[in-house]
Amino acid sequence: MENTTGLRENKKLRTRRHLAATALELFLERGFDAVSVADVAAAAEVSKPTLFRYFPSKEDLVLDRFADHQDEAARIVRDRPAGQSPVRAVHAHFLAALAERDPITGLCDHPNVLAFERLLYSTASLESRLAHYTAREVELLAAVFEAESVPSLASRLAALHLVTVRQELGRENWRRIDAGRSADEAYPDAVADADLAFGMLAGGFERELPIPGA
């Protein structure tokens, strides 16, 4: 029974990845607004109802990869070493991701990543839908703070600050790459910006907020 369940889940995952890859290829080739859900379903050789079982909206076909990162900030804070503050934990993780040129930091000049980000930042409906993923990221991180006995409002504010800083740093790095700089050329400025942004948080709300483990 377990093997059957595992095979079924693997098939669902393969189908999901196939749908997302097919959609992205069409969107990059023709433009997001010029491709319909029916076009994607036809290209992937599935029905529209099947497609919607995997992705509730056309935008989610593009943004599904962000779902893998929704709990990232929460995991970083929850699993941080004893005595390390949440800000320093997220800061250290972001610096490590910059060094690896992780696409989530915006500091990645791989052609496929550039094409994806140009699509994302040039399509209003995608940016709007991205707010759904951001809200979930904030919710998950706030829950970690609340589990550490931080008051609800303070937890939400702290989570919102940390998530927003990560996102804005990513956008700024993307702007550098989009302007023609290589990831290696932009790296020193990206590190300086991260140090500035997280330093502002460490010197601001974290100094006033009694977060356990800090």
Side-chain angles (χ1 to χ4, degrees):
M1 185 66 176
E2 289 183 3
N3 287 341
T4 301
T5 301
L7 289 172
R8 186 162 52 245
E9 291 305 314
N10 286 338
K11 182 179 179 181
K12 288 181 179 179
L13 180 58
R14 287 196 301 270
T15 300
R16 187 179 190 87
R17 288 175 174 170
H18 174 61
L19 289 170
T22 300
L24 184 57
E25 183 177 353
L26 290 175
F27 295 151
L28 292 175
E29 178 184 338
R30 306 182 198 172
F32 184 80
D33 294 329
V35 177
S36 69
V37 171
D39 292 332
V40 176
E45 299 183 333
V46 301
S47 67
K48 282 179 61 177
T50 295
L51 187 149
F52 280 125
R53 281 202 298 272
Y54 287 91
F55 297 96
S57 75
K58 177 182 171 182
E59 287 74 18
D60 289 319
L61 283 160
V62 176
L63 299 174
D64 182 62
R65 63 186 62 192
F66 284 95
D68 294 335
H69 294 275
Q70 282 183 299
D71 67 340
E72 187 171 74
R75 285 188 287 103
I76 294 167
V77 172
R78 185 183 60 243
D79 300 338
R80 71 191 189 276
Q84 185 179 50
S85 73
V87 171
R88 293 192 183 282
V90 178
H91 184 186
H93 185 274
F94 194 84
L95 290 178
L98 284 176
E100 295 172 1
R101 308 297 189 263
D102 189 325
I104 202 67
T105 67
L107 193 71
C108 181
D109 50 16
H110 189 284
N112 290 345
V113 174
L114 289 175
F116 171 81
E117 293 190 333
R118 288 194 180 104
L119 175 69
L120 172 62
Y121 294 129
S122 65
T123 308
S125 63
L126 289 174
E127 288 226 66
S128 178
R129 181 62 175 166
L130 187 58
H132 166 79
Y133 291 84
T134 299
R136 179 60 176 159
E137 188 176 1
V138 171
E139 178 185 344
L140 291 171
L141 180 53
V144 172
F145 287 135
E146 289 188 25
E148 295 185 351
S149 300
V150 178
S152 179
L153 176 60
S155 292
R156 293 197 305 275
L157 289 173
L160 184 60
H161 277 79
L162 280 168
V163 169
T164 299
V165 161
R166 282 178 17 124
Q167 287 189 340
E168 287 305 309
L169 287 171
R171 285 177 183 270
E172 184 62 22
N173 290 332
W174 151 247
R175 293 185 188 105
R176 291 187 175 107
I177 302 300
D178 192 45
R181 299 175 67 183
S182 71
D184 289 343
E185 289 170 342
Y187 177 70
D189 287 337
V191 170
D193 281 354
D195 290 344
L196 171 66
F198 286 108
M200 290 174 67
L201 292 186
F205 78 83
E206 187 170 82
R207 183 179 56 198
E208 305 297 333
L209 188 62
I211 299 179

